[in-house]
Amino acid sequence: LAMQKLYQTFVALAAQLQSIHENVKMLKEQYLGYRKIVLGDATDVFEARRAENKKWQSAPRITTGPTPFSNVPNAAAAAMAATLTQQQQPATGLNAFKL
């Protein structure tokens, strides 16, 4: 119940953010139109910010720490698997008749 409420809250917040994002986009376009008509300046004042954002998005990301999916198995998982394998093997010899 708590997780469902949290999920619904996140979805509602995401919807609000999308709405705000669309409004800001529209206001930017209106402002650029205003500058063009009233000021006679067709310069896109937001272009420098867009270029900077694209530069950062295209830059390679440097990660630190272990890789999330390494090929080295977890020691605890390997120990549990070994124990399960030993338990599933049929007992042989004198150990089969332990009482």
Side-chain angles (χ1 to χ4, degrees), residues 2-3 8 11 17 19-20 26 39 42 44 61 64 66 70 76 88 91 97 99:
M3 288 299 286
Q8 290 172 350
V11 169
L17 180 64
S19 173
I20 291 169
M26 184 180 61
L39 301 176
D44 187 351
R61 297 178 190 253
T64 58
S70 64
Q88 291 175 355
F97 299 105
L99 296 176

Side-chain angles (χ1 to χ4, degrees), residues 13-93:
L13 285 172
Q16 289 176 356
L17 180 64
Q18 177 65 23
S19 173
I20 291 169
H21 179 72
E22 291 300 318
N23 286 338
V24 168
K25 228 162 75 170
M26 184 180 61
L27 287 171
K28 281 182 177 181
E29 290 172 8
Q30 288 176 354
Y31 177 72
L32 291 175
Y34 167 82
R35 283 182 59 92
K36 192 177 207 178
I37 293 171
V38 175
L39 301 176
D41 183 9
T43 305
D44 187 351
V45 293
F46 303 110
E47 185 59 37
R49 171 89 31 128
R50 279 191 214 112
E52 184 179 320
N53 285 341
K54 284 184 181 181
K55 180 181 80 170
W56 282 106
Q57 288 175 353
S58 66
R61 297 178 190 253
I62 299 172
T63 58
T64 58
T67 59
F69 303 105
S70 64
N71 291 333
V72 180
N74 184 346
M80 288 186 342
T83 303
L84 285 173
T85 302
Q86 288 175 353
Q87 289 176 353
Q88 291 175 355
Q89 290 177 350
T92 58

Side-chain angles (χ1 to χ4, degrees), residues 91-98:
T92 58
L94 296 175
N95 291 334
F97 299 105
K98 277 189 177 176

